[in-house]
Amino acid sequence: MLRYTGNRLQQSVVLLFLASVVCFTLVVSSPGNVAVLIAELRGMIGSPGYVEQIEQEIGLNKPLLIRYADWLGNVIQGDFGISYRTGHDVNADIMNRITVTGMLVAGGAVVATVASLVLGFIGAFWPGGITDRAVRGFALVGASTPTFFVGALVIFMFAVILNLVPAVGFNGLKSWILPWITVAVLPAAVLSRVVRVGLEEAMASPYVLTAKSKGLSRFRIMFRDALPNITPIYINALGTQIGLMTAAAIIVEPLFAWQGMGDYFLNGVRFRDFMVVQACLLLFLTFFIVVNLVVDLTVMATDPRIRRQRSGA
Amino acid sequence: MQHDATLKVDNLTVDLLTSKTAVRPVDGVSYSVRKGECLAIVGESGSGKTVMNFAPLGLMPAGVSTELSGSVKFNGRELIGLEDGELRHIRGKSIGFIFQDPMSALNPVRRIGRQIAEMAELHLGLSPSAAEARALELIKLVGIPDPEARLRQYPHELSGGLRQRVVIAIALAGEPKLLIADEPTTALDVTVQAQILRLLKDLRKRLDMAMILITHDMGVVASSADDIVVMYAARAVERGPVEEVLTQPRHPYTRALINAIPKSSDTVGTRFRGLSGMPPILGAPNPGCAFAPRCDLAVAECRHTRPLMSQATHSTVRFACPIANTESEIHGTGTCS
């Protein structure tokens, strides 16, 4: 088990390095000259030589490899640089915003997990029934509705018509509910199918026949015998969905006027503030890689067949 | 003689209906098994021997609706028509089951100790710790070495033979009166087969249980069973004490089946004496004898009239072939070849 963990950690470090290369390459190859934009922002676009001066100032005239090495060296030391647009320290901005996004993704993940387990279980428990069909309908609609539309819909329903919760803002549980629901609908839909299909498959397996022959109730068999057997596939799917939620944050945060990483990234892109864009991209990718690592280690820890094999070797 | 039977099955018919198909895998079969005795049910794949024992106890896959008629009495209590909730209290507690493939019959992600102990919790009302102690007792009873360590292990850490012993321990946990073993040795290698059969025989005697052994292995039948029912295409064709049926098979199918077993007197290179033809498809109704198309003795009548089980002359064996029955009357004995 230790050896496996070590291998996975190594892989993750390599992946992180590749991710940094991708981040940097994508940003430097995007069109537009940052120096011109900065000159515009400072109202000095007309003055001759000013653009060159800025290029000198922020190191745009250096060779690409040197620029990459400078950036990576700073990033490794935890310094993401300074926003060209606002002049703010990117680190400080991120520290302010990362909790907002963390709140969104964590809350969304909890909602999606609970909803998908309950819905999938209900569907599998009464297969072909009205609840099963309703759950399947939700899964189909939920998986094919764009997140911004879901967001608009829930705002309209719960904030405008029913007036239960505030439409926008980030203060207290009440204001978090709608963003959580918005970000959780798609993952909940996808994951409820994973649970529903997985349980149906597991319930047809020979060990379930054994459990039936023991005289156990159907609920208990599904809960205690079938459900633990779909844990690996469920955790895998959940990891992917949590990773994708960071992408959804880019849409959901502006919708609810949350100032999180998604919002930050979007602003960065809009103004070609590439220190911000690079930082956000790298953090998103890091999050993906870490989630995947956690998923693999959790799956290993929950499946005795894998856990014992690795420790025995 | 019949009233003290642990399980008494009378004229049982099972129809399986899915959304598209209807089959009758069991058609008017009767048998019984008494306390301390072992009944073997033999027949080829698809002859209905498993369905016959599982369907009345509610052990059919989901999505198939099962229709039962006839009578299945367990210790005098009629099982047909019982709700699944009531059947659940009989399954596991009064009737234990052993399955064909121990590799897949155990839950791969749960500890062996829990899988045995939950039976004792459910059916004997024991506390979790008392149930664990009971699991330990059972695992010793079925002869698993190093029992304490085994309880904490997972199924994949055990060999096939040990896993089958665990399955047996689970079946015994509710202190059943009847054990139904569905080909318990088919998935095991030959030396382990003998051990498991010996264990089952020993447990049956010690715990004074009735046992139904579903198999297609005549060697298993000869070594373990008291009585035998031979199934062909959803029907019972012959029924009686093992020693009589095996040494003097009367029904043409039983004769062919036993004749097909390779003998030590066969010279090297002898062809297998298989049955020609194919077993019938169960979906199509058959007014006559299902074996008639493959039978040497068949006459025109066999294809139209269904032969009933009737007592053989000079014997307690019953079989469903009027032609062979009169023939044996003429020759005075039921021996063949």
Side-chain angles (χ1 to χ4, degrees):
Chain A
M1 177 154 176
L2 267 177
R3 190 193 302 171
Y4 177 74
T5 312
N7 282 343
R8 277 303 274 111
L9 275 173
Q10 265 176 3
Q11 282 173 15
S12 298
V13 170
V14 173
L15 271 175
L16 274 174
F17 172 72
L18 292 176
S20 76
V21 174
V22 170
C23 284
F24 185 81
T25 321
L26 273 179
V27 174
V28 296
S29 59
S30 63
N33 187 346
V34 190
V36 174
L37 287 161
I38 294 171
E40 248 174 48
L41 274 174
R42 294 181 187 169
M44 305 279 283
I45 191 68
S47 57
Y50 191 74
V51 169
E52 285 74 22
Q53 193 193 320
I54 291 172
E55 280 183 348
Q56 187 91 33
E57 185 187 317
I58 61 175
L60 278 185
N61 52 353
K62 289 184 195 164
L64 272 182
L65 263 179
I66 305 286
R67 280 169 61 192
Y68 172 68
D70 283 350
W71 173 70
L72 189 66
N74 288 333
V75 165
I76 287 172
Q77 291 164 40
D79 178 10
F80 282 109
I82 285 167
S83 162
Y84 296 138
R85 188 170 66 94
T86 59
H88 290 171
D89 193 11
V90 175
N91 286 41
D93 281 348
I94 288 174
M95 289 313 268
N96 284 333
R97 289 163 172 270
I98 208 157
T99 45
V100 175
T101 304
M103 204 66 170
L104 180 73
V105 172
V110 171
V111 173
T113 307
V114 172
S116 64
L117 283 175
V118 170
L119 292 177
F121 196 91
I122 289 175
F125 195 72
W126 290 288
I130 183 123
T131 42
D132 187 25
R133 273 177 282 167
V135 168
R136 197 176 308 182
F138 163 75
L140 187 68
V141 174
S144 43
T145 311
T147 306
F148 66 85
F149 185 71
V150 174
L153 213 63
V154 292
I155 291 175
F156 186 64
M157 245 172 73
F158 296 105
V160 178
I161 295 184
L162 297 173
N163 205 14
L164 291 173
V165 284
V168 293
F170 185 80
N171 35 36
L173 185 67
K174 258 193 157 179
S175 66
W176 298 340
I177 292 173
L178 288 188
W180 283 349
I181 293 177
T182 308
V183 83
V185 162
L186 186 131
V190 174
L191 293 171
S192 73
R193 288 306 293 165
V194 171
V195 175
R196 167 72 178 84
V197 172
L199 281 179
E200 187 176 27
E201 229 167 76
M203 286 303 279
S205 54
Y207 59 81
V208 165
L209 184 69
T210 309
K212 275 192 208 165
S213 84
K214 289 173 167 183
L216 299 166
S217 68
R218 201 172 124 74
F219 179 83
R220 184 161 163 175
I221 293 172
M222 206 176 258
F223 195 73
R224 297 264 291 264
D225 283 288
L227 201 55
N229 274 284
I230 67 163
T231 322
I233 48 166
Y234 183 76
I235 292 179
N236 264 313
L238 179 67
T240 312
Q241 293 300 328
I242 289 178
L244 290 174
M245 268 187 222
T246 53
I250 296 170
I251 291 157
V252 175
E253 282 174 6
L255 200 60
F256 292 94
W258 280 25
Q259 277 159 11
M261 293 293 293
D263 175 67
Y264 194 44
F265 177 70
L266 208 59
N267 280 324
V269 170
R270 208 170 279 155
F271 294 100
R272 284 197 189 71
D273 195 349
F274 70 65
M275 277 309 193
V276 171
V277 174
Q278 276 172 337
C280 289
L281 267 182
L282 189 64
L283 283 176
F284 287 152
L285 286 168
T286 308
F287 182 68
F288 241 100
I289 291 166
V290 170
V291 166
N292 269 310
L293 179 68
V294 170
V295 161
D296 282 354
L297 295 180
T298 317
V299 165
M300 187 184 60
T302 51
D303 190 332
R305 282 164 296 190
I306 306 177
R307 182 176 63 216
R308 296 271 179 134
Q309 236 168 24
R310 308 278 185 197
S311 64
Chain B
M1 167 184 146
Q2 295 257 305
H3 61 268
D4 61 345
T6 302
L7 188 78
K8 189 171 184 321
V9 175
D10 253 319
N11 202 20
L12 174 68
T13 297
V14 181
D15 286 302
L16 297 182
L17 311 167
T18 63
S19 53
K20 291 194 189 71
T21 56
V23 286
R24 176 169 285 188
V26 181
D27 189 355
V29 180
S30 305
Y31 56 90
S32 67
V33 58
R34 285 182 300 274
K35 207 174 166 185
E37 284 191 356
C38 177
L39 171 75
I41 295 174
V42 299
E44 54 202 284
S45 308
S47 61
K49 50 195 196 301
T50 302
V51 171
M52 181 163 77
N53 285 285
F54 283 9
L57 290 153
L59 286 180
M60 294 309 288
V64 180
S65 76
T66 312
E67 277 179 19
L68 301 159
S69 67
S71 155
V72 177
K73 281 195 169 132
F74 176 72
N75 279 336
R77 186 179 181 196
E78 180 62 57
L79 297 187
I80 287 179
L82 283 189
E83 294 287 308
D84 191 61
E86 293 169 285
L87 279 178
R88 271 210 291 122
H89 295 295
I90 295 171
R91 285 203 301 263
K93 174 154 182 60
S94 307
I95 302 179
F97 295 86
I98 298 166
F99 298 95
Q100 180 170 354
D101 185 6
M103 297 313 208
S104 56
L106 296 169
N107 193 329
V109 301
R110 299 183 62 202
R111 286 177 202 277
I112 283 162
R114 284 312 308 157
Q115 298 193 44
I116 303 174
E118 69 177 356
M119 283 284 278
E121 280 171 42
L122 183 70
H123 295 300
L124 306 178
L126 299 181
S127 68
S129 59
E132 292 282 343
R134 169 93 181 125
L136 185 65
E137 243 171 67
L138 284 163
I139 223 160
K140 284 178 186 160
L141 182 71
V142 296
I144 295 180
D146 199 4
E148 281 92 353
R150 299 299 182 200
L151 286 183
R152 289 190 301 275
Q153 283 182 310
Y154 289 91
H156 72 274
E157 296 170 290
L158 270 56
S159 68
L162 285 183
R163 280 191 231 184
Q164 192 62 305
R165 284 171 194 266
V166 172
V167 173
I168 293 171
I170 290 173
L172 295 175
E175 299 176 350
K177 307 283 175 290
L178 171 68
L179 213 51
I180 297 178
D182 183 11
E183 310 210 15
T185 57
T186 306
L188 304 173
D189 66 58
V190 183
T191 47
V192 181
Q193 280 184 10
Q195 291 168 14
I196 295 289
L197 286 173
R198 214 175 308 130
L199 173 71
L200 284 174
K201 198 169 182 175
D202 175 53
L203 289 169
R204 173 162 59 85
K205 294 264 158 66
R206 222 180 330 161
L207 305 173
D208 202 21
M209 293 179 293
M211 184 163 132
I212 291 176
L213 185 65
I214 302 165
T215 180
H216 53 238
D217 185 336
M218 288 297 182
V220 171
V221 175
S223 65
S224 310
D226 303 297
D227 289 319
I228 182 172
V229 175
V230 182
M231 297 277 295
Y232 182 76
R235 296 172 188 173
V237 294
E238 186 158 357
R239 186 176 94 218
V242 164
E243 60 274 18
E244 275 210 61
V245 173
L246 290 191
T247 55
Q248 297 189 339
R250 289 172 169 80
H251 192 280
Y253 175 65
T254 323
R255 288 188 206 175
L257 205 59
I258 290 168
N259 189 38
I261 302 168
K263 298 183 181 75
S264 55
S265 59
D266 289 345
T267 54
V268 176
T270 312
R271 281 181 170 274
F272 283 115
R273 293 172 300 272
L275 272 72
S276 58
M278 295 285 285
I281 297 151
L282 294 174
N286 188 341
C289 173
F291 189 61
R294 302 169 80 181
C295 182
D296 298 333
L297 300 175
V299 294
E301 184 65 8
C302 293
R303 294 175 189 271
H304 309 301
T305 317
R306 181 166 166 187
L308 298 172
M309 289 290 265
S310 57
Q311 184 124 17
T313 39
H314 318 298
S315 171
T316 55
V317 173
R318 298 174 75 84
F319 68 109
C321 183
I323 311 289
N325 210 358
T326 41
E327 184 195 49
S328 69
E329 229 164 72
I330 294 162
H331 300 298
T333 154
T335 17
C336 170
S337 74

